Amino acid sequence: MFRQMESAGLQDLHFWQDPDTGLQAIIAIHDTFRGPAIGGCRFIDYADTTAAITDAIRLAKGMSYKAALAGLPHGGGKSVIIKPSGLFDRTRLMQSFGHFVDSLGGRYITAMDSGTQISDMDNIALNTPYVTCTRKMGDPSPSTAFGVFAGIRASAKFRFGSDDLHNIHVAIQGLGHVGYALASLLHAAGARLTVSDIDAQKVARASAEFNAITVEPDAIYDVVADIFCPCGLGAIINPDTVNRLNCAIVAGSANNQLADDSMGDALCQRAILYAPDYLINAGGLIFVALNHARHHEQVIRQKVDSIYDALLELYKHADAEQKPTSLIADLRAATIIRQASLKPYQAA
């Protein structure tokens, strides 16, 4: 475990269990050099504790890099709750998790993620102030979708010479809160859509609303499209899928899209432009962080829209260096964090 933490540059890892509610949770804090760690709470099934720990560590590092490139005064953290296998009281479980978050004294601020919802954040907030995405603060999903949409336009601008998405073919993997909102934005912009999801009802709805072509989940990798847009879970660009892609651009909302660093090289070698996930999907984190700090809605939206320029600039840098975009993004984020570590943030 310590070897895994050291490899990811993780500061600390916390565990909590509550037999009364069935809560088994992990909080991974990657760094607090630029401010308190911030990141969502994932509530899904895990094969075992090792898988949950690995997920928390990978996601926490991604949140650090996301916060760094977005210029936010935060480090990165992530929490995972292992979904109980039997019957459980969700309200009491989330309230117990609030005690866990509060025990860290503000070093970690939690938020929504896969499997959690606004009502969960409301229950967590009963026992800690270190939470966002409550009913009062709002859902970050629309901001994530707006940011990814801006990033897709920037990617099209760099690769095709125009950010006009009319008749651009986008293959969307995953129609969750972000994926569906993004599909709506793309449809309104005139894009042609092919979609997949494990939920047949969502697929049918997208087909009806957006005139989208539908394919089975595994077939989405083989779709001939201008842009492949992963909006589900991570590690979907891997040795089994990377050579199946028939697209010019990979740009989507999923976290940790690359199974490992070599996949960034593989995409580059195939001349597929990759939008680093923690840059293009930063809209949700921007919303969470600035909303928690009580910034005005207009300020938040302007910051989300800036993803367009940030990606364009990164693409130009990577092209000039003839290096993968993922590597350039990693080096930039690591440099920002390293510089911050020389004068680390101190909680009041």
Side-chain angles (χ1 to χ4, degrees):
M1 187 185 301
F2 282 110
R3 193 176 304 116
Q4 194 175 5
M5 290 173 65
E6 183 178 3
S7 175
L10 200 76
Q11 282 184 349
D12 42 291
L13 192 62
H14 303 267
F15 297 83
W16 185 282
Q17 73 162 350
D18 177 8
D20 289 339
T21 62
L23 176 67
Q24 293 184 329
I26 302 163
I27 294 177
I29 295 178
H30 184 265
D31 79 83
T32 54
F33 298 129
R34 306 178 74 242
I38 191 168
C41 173
R42 182 163 285 193
F43 183 46
I44 61 175
D45 294 308
Y46 285 98
D48 51 40
T49 305
T50 299
I53 293 170
T54 298
D55 203 26
I57 291 174
R58 279 172 53 88
L59 290 165
K61 181 179 180 180
M63 293 305 294
S64 272
Y65 280 24
K66 191 182 299 189
L69 290 188
L72 297 173
H74 289 282
K78 207 76 175 185
S79 54
V80 300
I81 299 175
I82 300 172
K83 199 168 188 178
S85 56
L87 295 175
F88 66 96
D89 186 327
R90 186 176 183 125
T91 297
R92 291 182 61 232
L93 183 142
M94 291 299 169
Q95 290 174 0
S96 180
F97 179 71
H99 285 300
F100 182 17
V101 173
D102 201 62
S103 72
L104 299 180
R107 295 187 69 243
Y108 167 68
I109 300 167
T110 196
M112 281 173 57
D113 200 282
S114 300
T116 51
Q117 53 202 27
I118 289 177
S119 60
D120 296 327
M121 301 301 112
D122 289 341
N123 284 313
I124 292 168
L126 294 175
N127 290 317
T128 183
Y130 307 118
V131 57
T132 185
C133 300
T134 60
R135 194 168 309 279
K136 183 178 179 181
M137 294 182 180
D139 183 353
S141 299
S143 290
T144 305
F146 278 124
V148 175
F149 181 69
I152 287 175
R153 289 178 53 243
S155 302
K157 173 72 172 177
F158 185 81
R159 176 48 56 93
F160 306 134
S162 170
D163 60 11
D164 182 357
L165 300 180
H166 183 74
N167 212 34
I168 292 291
H169 186 187
V170 184
I172 302 177
Q173 179 189 49
L175 294 169
H177 291 303
V178 175
Y180 206 92
L182 179 60
S184 180
L185 292 171
L186 290 166
H187 175 68
R192 294 182 294 115
L193 304 180
T194 296
V195 301
S196 71
D197 193 280
I198 58 173
D199 187 331
Q201 289 186 330
K202 291 178 181 177
V203 171
R205 182 182 164 204
S207 175
E209 289 189 19
F210 310 135
N211 196 30
I213 298 170
T214 65
V215 296
E216 292 300 313
D218 186 63
I220 196 71
Y221 300 104
D222 304 307
V223 173
V224 180
D226 298 301
I227 301 170
F228 174 58
C229 184
C231 296
L233 296 178
I236 51 84
I237 307 294
N238 56 58
D240 295 327
T241 62
V242 68
N243 290 319
R244 293 171 58 187
L245 296 178
N246 284 293
C247 60
I249 297 167
V250 172
S253 68
N255 287 313
N256 296 329
Q257 294 170 26
L258 306 182
D260 56 55
D261 292 343
S262 71
M263 292 299 98
D265 294 326
L267 289 173
C268 186
Q269 289 168 9
R270 294 198 59 208
I272 297 175
L273 182 66
Y274 173 62
D277 47 26
Y278 54 81
L279 201 169
I280 192 173
N281 71 12
L285 179 63
I286 291 168
F287 174 89
V288 165
L290 298 188
N291 204 303
H292 189 75
R294 304 294 190 268
H295 283 280
H296 191 274
E297 181 180 342
Q298 185 177 0
V299 174
I300 297 173
R301 183 56 189 269
Q302 287 174 344
K303 187 72 170 172
V304 171
D305 288 342
S306 72
I307 290 172
Y308 181 102
D309 291 328
L311 262 177
L312 265 183
E313 196 277 329
L314 182 134
Y315 289 152
K316 292 173 183 175
H317 184 176
D319 187 56
E321 295 282 333
Q322 288 295 291
K323 292 179 180 177
T325 55
S326 55
L327 175 61
I328 296 299
D330 284 353
L331 291 173
R332 285 188 176 185
T335 298
I336 292 168
I337 294 169
R338 184 169 58 252
Q339 289 174 343
S341 72
L342 301 177
K343 191 179 179 181
Y345 157 83
Q346 303 251 343

